[in-house]
C-alpha cells in the first residue's frame, strides 16, 4: 500500500511539474495605480501558493498558543508524584 501511495505522489509531482514547465509564458500582474509586474506565470502561481500557506500558518498561531497554554495549565494542576504502590498483604500464620 505504501508503494502505491508513493507512486501516486510521484505521479502527482511530475504532472504538476510538467504543468509548470508548459505554462511558463510571461504574465502580467496589475496592481493599483497602474503598477504592473511581468514574470512567468508559474512564478506568480508559486508566490500565490506560498502566501496562502503563510497566511494559513499565521491564522493557526492563536489556536496553537491557546492549546499550548491549556496543556501547560493541565500539567501544572496534575500531581507530579505518582501514588505509592499498594502494601503487601501480611504473611499467612497457621497459629503455631
Amino acid at each position: 500500500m505504501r508503494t502505491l501511495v508513493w507512486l501516486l505522489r510521484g505521479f502527482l509531482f511530475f504532472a504538476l511539474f510538467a504543468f509548470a514547465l508548459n505554462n511558463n509564458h510571461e504574465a502580467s500582474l496589475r496592481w493599483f495605480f497602474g503598477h504592473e509586474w511581468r514574470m512567468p506565470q508559474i512564478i506568480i502561481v508559486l508566490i500565490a501558493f506560498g502566501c496562502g500557506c503563510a497566511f494559513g500558518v499565521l491564522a493557526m498561531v492563536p489556536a496553537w498558543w491557546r492549546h499550548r497554554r491549556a496543556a501547560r495549565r493541565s500539567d501544572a494542576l496534575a500531581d507530579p508524584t505518582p501514588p505509592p504502590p499498594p502494601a503487601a498483604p501480611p504473611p499467612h500464620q497457621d497459629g503455631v
Side-chain angles (χ1 to χ4, degrees):
M1 187 66 182
R2 281 185 172 177
T3 307
L4 182 64
V5 170
W6 276 107
L7 285 173
L8 182 64
R9 287 178 184 172
F11 173 75
L12 184 63
F13 172 77
F14 286 115
L16 291 174
F17 188 70
F19 175 76
L21 289 177
N22 288 330
N23 288 301
N24 61 358
H25 304 291
E26 189 166 300
S28 61
L29 187 62
R30 294 188 178 98
W31 296 92
F32 298 111
F33 308 114
H35 292 286
E36 182 177 336
W37 287 353
R38 290 187 173 274
M39 61 183 75
Q41 184 178 0
I42 190 61
I43 300 297
I44 294 172
V45 171
L46 185 62
I47 289 171
F49 177 75
C51 289
C53 288
F55 179 76
V57 168
L58 290 176
M60 287 296 298
V61 166
W64 287 337
W65 286 343
R66 206 173 317 121
H67 288 292
R68 187 174 173 187
R69 202 175 319 123
R72 280 189 190 163
R73 215 175 306 131
S74 67
D75 286 346
L77 294 176
D79 188 18
T81 57
H92 181 66
Q93 293 181 356
D94 289 337
V96 179

